């Protein structure tokens, strides 16, 4: 029986860099999730007759939210829903199912790399029929709808069983519960040289994959251990838990410290990797060597032709603005286009759909290709494994050869988390006001060539996105970028992105923090970080 529930709008239901993220208890308030879901359906022209993919990363409230969304979809007259078993789907697997089944989009429950649990974070995002994150026009329409909402529609029915694969019915809507892994694993087999990788594992190649108790565990076990023959136990923290077992599922050296310690230790395996809450991020580590995400993107792009799915070469390479220019050098050498987009995967969608680029990446441990419309953590790990299997070299050797050929873009991101929003805003405003006066001035012995607030005009549809981060570029192309995070749920997070290019042949193996020291000094002085935020040091360095 369809029910219409009267409600009033909630403040602040504004999607950020990737969906709406709030504290879990905020989402648990009566009508809160329902209001956003109704606004979402209204913003896309209703759900009647449509087919949606629904699933999430298994964090606390995932199962309840899936049931709420299913009831609401059925009440709006949706035709059917494709749901991952137990409500689980990684973000890239959801993107694939949306495309494979030619659906009208999907709803993914995740706060991605943010911690999970009743006192941590929850989130919801909508992906369009191309499988990619909703573009800004759509998220703006959703936000507008949340401000005027007066009622929502749902069903008065008990929960359905999400644990059994097969078809079931929710009022007039059919629900298909599917294996979350099968179709995704088949897609990976179609792209990569599984026999070569299997042979390398059979030869004694060792790896560790830290799933951080998040959604990738079942995918990694099936693909790495079962299909490729990595030793049992290669996947650690492989069972998705509602609170991620207390881990912060952000695959970077700070939060994936167990993996880092093993990879830097004496008995390190050949290869290490970790992924985030919803499985779209990856961190890659060789024995004794950390691979920065910007370098990973460049190496993957330069070697992608070694995998069957990319043997025809790349159409182009895209990176987010704060990501280092290492990938641009690869594109230039290949003679293909390269693009610089604002932060957030949604900006790659048009380029991928238009066939202008094949591989994309962000400095925040995100890499992916035109196989789906999301970044894809396991995909990146498999492409690395494919390259390692074909080249028969170590991660360190591959990096060394890469830098010798292209030079090295030393790179680091410094995060200042949970600072007071008012102070962060004041710092950014003061910086923006100063921008026109900066070119020609000197900081820490370096001269500024250009200073601006990044604006992007989408080359496919002409849409313009402004205020995407402050860029300070020096005469030697070294760079500082300042941005405030759009995924946090507490206070503000200041991200400072630092880059310096050294062409080689010398100085290709410096400690990045040492190589970047003058840029770091300039970054603090220029923006007055210490004065505004009260912090002299970042709390996460990647
Ligand atoms: C961060 C990253 C950005 C990424 C986004 C979503 O956004 O910087 O590159 O696309 O998270 O990733 P922000 O606004 O906090 O800098 V995920 O894996 O958390 O969905
Ligand atoms: Co994620």
């Amino acid at each position: 029986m369809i029910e219409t529930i009267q409600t009033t709008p909630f403040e602040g239901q504004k999607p950020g860099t990737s969906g709406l993220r709030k504290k879990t208890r905020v989402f648990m308030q009566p009508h809160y999730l329902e209001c956003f879901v109704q606004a979402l359906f209204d913003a896309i022209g209703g759900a009647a007759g449509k087919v949606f993919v629904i699933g999430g990363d298994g964090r606390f409230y995932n199962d309840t939210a899936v049931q709420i969304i299913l009831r609401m979809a059925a009440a709006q007259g949706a035709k059917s829903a494709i749901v991952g078993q137990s409500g689980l789907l990684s973000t890239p697997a959801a993107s694939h199912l949306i495309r494979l089944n030619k659906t009208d989009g999907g709803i993914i429950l995740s706060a991605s790399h943010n911690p999970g649990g009743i006192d941590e974070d929850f989130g919801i995002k909508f992906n369009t029929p191309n499988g990619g994150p909703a573009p800004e026009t759509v998220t703006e329409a959703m936000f507008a709808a949340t401000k005027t909402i007066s009622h929502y529609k749902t069903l008065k029915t008990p929960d359905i069983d999400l644990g059994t694969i097969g078809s079931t019915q929710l009022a007039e809507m059919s629900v298909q519960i599917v294996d979350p892994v099968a179709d995704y694993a088949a897609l990976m087999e179609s792209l990569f040289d599984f026999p070569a990788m299997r042979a390398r594992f059979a030869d004694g190649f060792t790896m560790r994959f830290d799933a951080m108790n998040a959604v990738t565990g079942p995918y990694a076990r099936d693909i790495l251990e079962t299909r490729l023959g990595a030793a049992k136990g290669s996947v650690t923290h492989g069972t998705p838990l509602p609170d991620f077992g207390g881990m912060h599922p952000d695959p970077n050296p700070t939060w994936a410290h167990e993996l880092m310690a093993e990879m830097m230790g004496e008995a390190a395996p050949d290869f290490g990797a970790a992924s985030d809450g919803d499985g779209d991020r990856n961190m890659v580590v060789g024995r004794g060597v950390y691979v920065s995400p910007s370098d990973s993107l460049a190496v993957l792009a330069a070697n992608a032709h070694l995998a069957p799915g990319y043997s025809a070469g790349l159409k182009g390479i895209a990176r987010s603005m704060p990501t280092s220019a290492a990938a641009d050098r690869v594109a230039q050498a290949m003679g293909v286009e390269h693009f610089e987009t604002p932060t957030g995967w949604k900006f790659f969608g048009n380029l991928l759909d238009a066939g202008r680029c094949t591989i994309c990446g962000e400095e925040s441990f995100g890499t992916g290709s035109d196989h789906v419309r999301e970044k894809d953590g396991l995909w990146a790990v498999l492409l690395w494994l494919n390259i390692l299997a074909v080249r028969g070299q170590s991660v360190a050797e591959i990096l060394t050869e890469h830098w010798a050929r292209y030079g090295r873009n030393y790179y680091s991101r410094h995060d200042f988390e949970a600072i007071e929003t008012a102070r962060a805003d004041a710092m950014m405003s003061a910086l923006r006001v100063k921008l026109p006066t900066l070119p020609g001035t000197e900081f820490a012995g370096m001269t500024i060539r250009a200073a601006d607030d990044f604006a992007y005009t989408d080359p496919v549809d002409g849409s313009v996105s402004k205020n995407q981060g402050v860029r300070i570029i020096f005469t030697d192309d070294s760079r500082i970028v300042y941005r405030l995070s759009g995924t946090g749920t507490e206070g503000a997070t200041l991200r400072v992105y630092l880059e310096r290019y050294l062409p080689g042949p010398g100085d290709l193996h410096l400690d990045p923090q040492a190589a970047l020291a003058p840029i770091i000094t300039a970054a603090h002085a220029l923006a007055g970080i210490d004065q505004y935020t009260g912090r002299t040091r970042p709390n996460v360095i990647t």
Side-chain angles (χ1 to χ4, degrees), residues 112-113 276 278 280-281 375:
S112 190
H113 60 286
D276 72 333
D278 61 333
D280 55 0
R281 295 188 182 200
K375 54 188 185 273

Side-chain angles (χ1 to χ4, degrees), residues 66-92:
V66 170
Q67 299 281 358
I68 289 173
I69 294 165
L70 284 172
R71 276 195 281 267
M72 288 185 66
Q76 330 280 316
K79 183 172 161 220
S80 69
I82 299 170
V83 186
Q85 187 179 21
S86 304
L88 292 181
L89 279 179
S90 76
T91 288

Side-chain angles (χ1 to χ4, degrees), residues 17-18 21 111-114 125 276 278 280-281 320 343-345 362-364 375 413 483-488 495 497:
T17 312
S18 174
R21 291 187 199 182
S112 190
H113 60 286
N114 300 15
K125 50 187 178 177
D276 72 333
D278 61 333
D280 55 0
R281 295 188 182 200
S320 68
T343 293
W345 210 261
E362 295 192 278
E363 51 60 46
S364 54
K375 54 188 185 273
R413 183 175 105 184
R483 264 187 82 242
L484 296 184
S485 157
T487 59
R495 305 203 195 285
Y497 309 80

Side-chain angles (χ1 to χ4, degrees), residues 240-504:
L241 300 174
D243 64 349
F244 305 126
M247 290 180 91
H248 185 160
D250 193 348
N252 63 42
T254 302
W255 297 116
H257 49 83
E258 268 183 55
L259 175 74
M260 286 304 285
E262 187 175 3
M263 295 307 298
M264 299 303 148
E266 279 187 7
D270 296 306
F271 184 68
S275 61
D276 72 333
D278 61 333
D280 55 0
R281 295 188 182 200
N282 72 93
M283 177 174 75
V284 160
V285 200
R287 178 185 290 138
V289 51
Y290 163 70
V291 184
S292 95
S294 293
D295 280 341
S296 180
L297 171 66
V299 169
L300 291 179
N303 293 279
H305 61 278
L306 301 176
Y310 306 93
S311 58
L314 307 183
K315 292 172 182 147
I317 304 171
R319 63 166 172 88
S320 68
M321 181 274 281
T323 305
S324 94
D328 301 5
R329 296 179 188 280
V330 174
Q332 277 154 359
M334 282 178 179
V336 298
E337 279 191 294
H338 60 92
F339 302 91
E340 187 178 39
T341 62
T343 293
W345 210 261
K346 55 180 172 256
F347 294 102
F348 294 132
N350 279 346
L351 296 171
L352 291 164
D353 285 348
R356 304 260 311 254
C357 73
T358 308
I359 285 194
C360 317
E362 295 192 278
E363 51 60 46
S364 54
F365 302 86
T367 10
S369 86
D370 57 2
H371 68 292
V372 289
R373 291 294 179 275
E374 285 279 4
K375 54 188 185 273
D376 187 344
L378 254 180
W379 170 90
V381 170
L382 291 167
L383 182 49
W384 262 102
L385 286 171
N386 192 141
I387 293 165
L388 290 166
V390 174
R391 289 185 51 168
Q393 291 170 299
S394 69
V395 172
E397 285 163 347
I398 287 176
L399 275 179
T400 299
E401 282 186 18
H402 188 92
W403 293 330
R405 171 161 181 201
Y406 297 98
R408 182 167 176 186
N409 291 73
Y410 282 97
Y411 188 83
S412 185
R413 183 175 105 184
H414 289 193
D415 288 339
F416 301 78
E417 292 181 332
I419 52 185
E420 235 177 84
T421 308
R423 288 170 159 227
D425 288 342
M427 193 204 91
M428 290 300 288
S429 314
L431 190 56
R432 288 193 160 104
V433 169
K434 260 204 322 211
L435 289 177
T437 67
L438 290 177
T441 56
E442 237 185 63
F443 279 85
M446 303 176 309
T447 307
I448 296 175
R449 173 162 58 80
D452 68 359
D453 195 347
F454 182 60
Y456 177 67
T457 303
D458 186 301
V460 179
D461 68 14
S463 59
V464 178
S465 304
K466 293 186 175 157
N467 305 320
Q468 298 296 322
V470 168
R471 297 192 289 190
I472 312 286
I473 304 169
F474 295 91
T475 45
D476 68 348
D477 282 343
S478 293
R479 205 170 64 135
I480 306 167
V481 176
Y482 303 86
R483 264 187 82 242
L484 296 184
S485 157
T487 59
T489 59
E490 246 179 285
T493 292
L494 167 67
R495 305 203 195 285
V496 182
Y497 309 80
L498 308 143
E499 179 174 358
R500 181 181 177 200
Y501 177 69
L502 291 177

Side-chain angles (χ1 to χ4, degrees), residues 39-65:
L40 185 163
F41 285 140
D42 291 348
I44 59 167
K50 293 184 177 172
V51 180
F52 296 106
V53 170
I54 300 168
D57 65 10
R59 69 180 62 220
F60 186 86
Y61 205 55
N62 188 82
D63 41 6
T64 312

